[in-house]
Amino acid sequence: MNTSVMLPAVHVRAPGMLTLVLRVGPAGADGDHQLATVYQAVSLHEDVVATPAEEITVSTTGPWADRVADDETNLACRAARLLAEASGTSTGVHLQITKRVPVGGGMAGGSADAAAALLACDLLWQTGLAREELGHLAAELGADVPFALTGGTAVALGRGDRLTPALARGCYHWVLGIRAQGLSTGEVFTEWDRLHPDPEPVPHIDDAVMAALISGDPHRLAEVLGNDLDDAAGNLAPAVQQVQQVLADSPALASLVAGSGPTVAALAPDHPTAVEIAETLRTARVADHVEVVTGPAPGARLLESVREDEA
């Protein structure tokens, strides 16, 4: 590890994500389902500031901070410990997380924290690991963490960690209807198993989805959006169905549950219409929080760092 120049602070930002398409296959012997997914990173993000410390610690602020444990179970803390072990680093770190992605909302906010922590600690400790090596560590932390590192738009297979970047032209405008009470991913899949006792053996992504992404046309993308977990999430959280009912009478082109829910994402044709849809949701009072975001967004990236000789 190169320690010739120390960084007193490293600030990394990582995106939350939407699942534009999610196809679910049967569960394997390990309980994990085979998935075929199209991810898109969006502009609702997590910030992690890493500073040198004697031990590895974490603290959280932001709208969702009260839903996160600031201990060794925190995924960002686990990411730092994993990187320290892999790189032979003995220096500690304090990770200050600002949470903006809903907890338990199906947008992989915890995975974004982990990705940001990996990159921030890598830069702070100057481990010299290649981005590919960080990707391997990310996969050990969870299926969604590698995508939070890369961002953009991607197709994911298997558990969701076998990523292939997807060409997506244009900028897409999304409205998020967020419920304060999250959903357990495990419970949603259990409900899906109950509803679908004979699933498709090998889920796949249709060519029409890729063509829509390449076109950059939100109207074409709206035609191919779909999440197999919609019905399961709606059964467990009826508020999901209420949000979708309001969106059905709005100018939204389409809507779907984000990941395992309960966040509902609506695709708008442009930014002014997204703002109109967001106001419709707020007026209807069917969501606890409403956000307007864009995608695709970049993956985990350095925002600022200050060298000691420049401080």
Side-chain angles (χ1 to χ4, degrees):
M1 181 181 65
N2 177 16
T3 58
S4 58
V5 181
M6 296 297 293
L7 298 174
V10 174
H11 184 180
V12 170
R13 174 168 290 174
M17 72 177 191
L18 296 178
T19 45
L20 309 189
V21 179
L22 176 56
R23 302 300 178 214
V24 182
D30 59 1
D32 288 335
H33 290 75
Q34 290 296 306
L35 305 175
T37 312
V38 178
Y39 292 140
Q40 184 165 94
V42 295
S43 57
L44 190 63
H45 53 258
E46 305 280 85
D47 284 326
V48 173
V49 177
T51 53
E54 293 184 2
E55 300 179 348
I56 295 176
T57 58
V58 61
S59 59
T60 310
T61 60
W64 304 93
D66 61 341
R67 301 280 304 280
V68 178
D70 288 339
D71 57 25
E72 65 276 1
T73 65
N74 188 294
L75 200 55
C77 188
R78 289 171 52 196
R81 293 185 185 281
L82 182 63
L83 179 62
E85 180 180 350
S87 62
T89 301
S90 57
T91 306
V93 65
H94 178 70
L95 301 171
Q96 175 62 56
I97 302 172
T98 303
K99 287 203 68 64
R100 298 182 180 88
V101 178
V103 176
M107 294 185 64
S111 295
D113 293 339
L118 277 177
L119 182 57
C121 292
D122 175 64
L123 295 171
L124 183 73
W125 293 334
Q126 301 177 60
T127 68
L129 294 181
R131 190 79 172 206
E132 181 180 1
E133 294 175 282
L134 289 182
H136 292 317
L137 295 178
E140 291 186 40
L141 292 163
D144 296 333
V145 182
F147 178 71
L149 272 179
T150 60
T153 306
V155 174
L157 301 176
R159 294 188 305 123
D161 55 344
R162 287 159 41 200
L163 291 173
T164 302
L167 177 60
R169 293 192 175 97
C171 176
Y172 298 95
H173 301 271
W174 300 94
V175 180
L176 308 178
I178 301 168
R179 183 171 175 260
Q181 182 61 46
L183 278 175
S184 161
T185 298
E187 290 178 359
V188 174
F189 273 99
T190 297
E191 176 65 6
W192 186 87
D193 288 335
R194 186 185 69 81
L195 294 172
H196 303 275
D198 189 24
E200 177 185 357
V202 182
H204 66 281
I205 301 299
D206 293 335
D207 291 341
V209 176
M210 310 312 297
L213 289 168
I214 292 172
S215 75
D217 182 352
H219 294 82
R220 288 188 62 180
L221 183 61
E223 295 175 356
V224 298
L225 295 177
N227 185 344
D228 284 355
L229 296 178
D230 262 17
D231 52 358
N235 283 356
L236 295 175
V240 167
Q241 298 171 343
Q242 295 174 350
V243 173
Q244 290 177 320
Q245 288 169 1
V246 171
L247 290 171
D249 294 327
S250 78
L253 301 177
S255 69
L256 77 168
V257 169
S260 58
T263 300
V264 177
L267 178 60
D270 49 45
H271 179 70
T273 306
V275 173
E276 178 186 347
I277 296 167
E279 186 57 32
T280 298
L281 279 182
R282 293 188 183 103
T283 301
R285 299 182 181 275
V286 292
D288 297 307
H289 304 275
V290 179
E291 298 277 356
V292 176
V293 301
T294 58
R301 64 200 188 280
L302 176 69
L303 289 190
E304 61 184 26
S305 62
V306 182
R307 297 182 183 273
E308 283 187 344
D309 57 2
E310 296 174 346

